[in-house]
């Protein structure tokens, strides 16, 4: 369950309707506003802020921490905020990467940002983050601490900067958006299982990895980069497509990724055995694994991946959310949305 909290002069209003934040909802075009906001600067003096909270995140810890945080939030923001009428100046994701993932997908509608559907509006809704989840890996890329009070101070200042967003498309034609890391095969399977054990905190990633290794087989994949020719990669263990650097509770899997540079970093692990992960785990967390044998890295703006066997069983996830199976295409959308820093 995702909850919406509207901070305004009249207090805090919550709703438990996740569809409010999905772009296809009839209310989505209303996120745009006719108030003029200068890009790259601070938010307007009076602001409409929507906070999206997953109260069950981090095994219920997010909801408890959010309740503790509300008095401080009101004290810092009430004087500056008003009720949402024609669209929010910012939507704030309160929780982990899963909550952030849901919010980012609500920024898009019919293949474009919601605000771009209103051609008369110079307004752009910004994305904000209060990291309170299990992983909060996206926040690590910017060096943000898992400190909600520090996050609120960023929101109060309201400085904006445009960031890239990844878009994933498949055979169904439906697009899916991500901010952090999308990944394929073993790591995606581990994330799928880890989601069942969130009650154990960061230990869920270890449990998920152990379960994913059971019966795992490396697979041959076919890959097309930047609309070029198809190439075969043998015995792929995992393939990670990073818009940012971290996943899996602090693993620096795509260490050269930067959500401002208009490209993904793609890291491919081939022919890894279970003991390779044990012996090289410290390198994966420190981001020094790119020098390891059978690990390759490259910068791309698009990549297509197919399973040569056609088994339809190769897992795909983004930002820790299970998205199904190969084939998939991943493209970067440079400077797609504004984010509060």
């Amino acid at each position: 369950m995702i909850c919406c909290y509207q901070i305004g002069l009249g207090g805090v209003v919550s709703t438990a309707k996740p569809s409010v934040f999905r772009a296809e909802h009839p209310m989505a075009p209303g996120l745009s506003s006719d108030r003029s906001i200068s890009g790259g600067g601070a938010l307007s003096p009076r602001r409409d802020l929507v906070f999206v909270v997953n109260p069950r995140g981090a095994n219920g810890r997010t909801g408890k921490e959010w309740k503790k945080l509300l008095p401080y939030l009101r004290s810092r923001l009430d004087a500056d905020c008003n009720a949402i009428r024609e669209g929010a100046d910012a939507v704030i994701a309160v929780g982990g990467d899963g909550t952030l993932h849901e919010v980012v997908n609500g920024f898009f509608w019919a293949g474009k940002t919601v605000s771009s559907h209103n051609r008369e509006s110079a307004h752009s809704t910004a994305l904000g983050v209060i990291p309170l989840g299990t992983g909060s890996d996206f926040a690590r890329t910017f060096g943000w601490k898992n400190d909600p009070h520090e996050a609120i101070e960023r929101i109060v200042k309201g400085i904006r900067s445009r960031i890239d967003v990844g878009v994933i498309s498949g055979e169904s034609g439906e697009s899916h958006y991500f901010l952090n890391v999308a990944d394929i095969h073993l790591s995606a399977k581990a994330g799928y299982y880890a989601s069942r054990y969130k009650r154990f905190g960061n230990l869920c990633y270890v449990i998920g990895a152990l379960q994913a290794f059971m019966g795992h087989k490396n697979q041959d994949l076919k890959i097309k980069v930047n609309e070029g020719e198809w190439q075969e990669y043998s015995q792929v263990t995992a393939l990670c497509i990073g818009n940012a650097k971290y996943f899996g509770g602090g693993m620096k899997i795509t260490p050269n990724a930067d959500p401002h540079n208009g490209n993904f970093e793609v890291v491919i692990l081939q022919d890894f055995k279970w003991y390779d992960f044990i012996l090289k785990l410290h390198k994966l967390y420190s981001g020094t694994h790119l020098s390891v044998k059978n690990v390759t890295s490259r910068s791309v703006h698009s990549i297509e991946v197919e399973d040569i066997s056609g088994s339809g069983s190769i897992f795909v996830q983004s930002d820790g959310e299970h998205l199904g199976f190969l084939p998939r295409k991943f493209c970067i959308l440079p400077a797609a949305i504004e984010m509060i820093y």
Side-chain angles (χ1 to χ4, degrees), residues 186 189-191 193-194 203-214:
L186 179 64
K189 190 190 298 184
Y193 289 126
L203 187 61
C204 72
Y205 300 112
V206 177
I207 299 171
L210 291 173
Q211 190 167 352
F213 267 119
M214 296 174 61

Side-chain angles (χ1 to χ4, degrees), residues 96-303:
D97 296 309
T99 304
L100 182 60
H101 182 86
E102 291 294 327
V103 172
V104 168
N105 276 271
F107 271 71
F108 293 86
W109 179 45
K112 296 191 295 184
T113 56
V114 170
S115 58
S116 68
H117 285 272
N118 187 347
R119 297 179 180 178
E120 298 178 356
S121 174
H123 172 74
S124 175
T125 299
L127 171 69
V129 181
I130 297 179
L132 283 178
T134 303
S136 297
D137 282 308
F138 181 71
R140 297 176 197 267
T141 291
F142 304 100
W144 294 340
K145 299 176 183 177
N146 211 10
D147 181 350
H149 293 86
E150 182 182 281
I152 288 173
E153 293 308 311
R154 285 197 301 271
I155 294 163
V156 170
K157 292 176 182 176
I159 304 301
R160 298 179 174 203
S161 177
R162 300 203 75 89
I163 60 171
D164 307 333
V165 174
V167 58
I168 306 171
S169 54
E171 293 179 320
S172 67
E174 182 181 356
S175 294
H176 209 88
Y177 301 88
F178 71 100
L179 270 184
N180 197 42
V181 178
D183 52 309
I184 293 167
H185 204 20
L186 179 64
S187 55
K189 190 190 298 184
Y192 173 76
Y193 289 126
S195 65
R196 302 177 178 183
Y197 303 104
K198 288 294 181 74
R199 63 186 180 277
F200 297 115
N202 277 344
L203 187 61
C204 72
Y205 300 112
V206 177
I207 299 171
L210 291 173
Q211 190 167 352
F213 267 119
M214 296 174 61
H216 169 77
K217 292 182 180 179
N218 297 327
Q219 295 286 343
D220 298 339
L221 300 181
K222 190 166 63 170
I223 297 171
K224 181 193 289 189
V225 170
N226 298 339
E227 307 296 337
E229 298 295 323
W230 286 101
Q231 294 179 302
E232 291 188 9
Y233 284 73
S234 63
Q235 296 297 293
V236 174
T237 307
L239 188 154
C240 301
I241 302 155
N243 185 45
K245 300 179 189 296
Y246 297 88
F247 81 159
M251 193 177 293
K252 199 174 184 179
I253 191 66
T254 46
N256 298 314
D258 181 351
H260 298 97
N261 68 6
N263 286 293
F264 295 125
E265 181 183 22
V266 173
V267 172
I268 304 175
L269 281 62
Q270 292 174 266
D271 200 26
F272 267 52
K273 308 297 189 295
W274 67 268
Y275 51 80
D276 288 314
F277 283 94
I278 295 175
L279 295 173
K280 298 162 186 174
L281 189 63
H282 65 288
K283 289 183 177 289
L284 290 168
Y285 274 94
S286 65
T288 58
H289 57 287
L290 299 187
S291 61
V292 171
K293 181 184 177 182
N294 294 342
V295 177
T296 57
S297 170
R298 64 188 301 178
S299 179
V300 311
H301 57 77
S302 73
I303 179 171

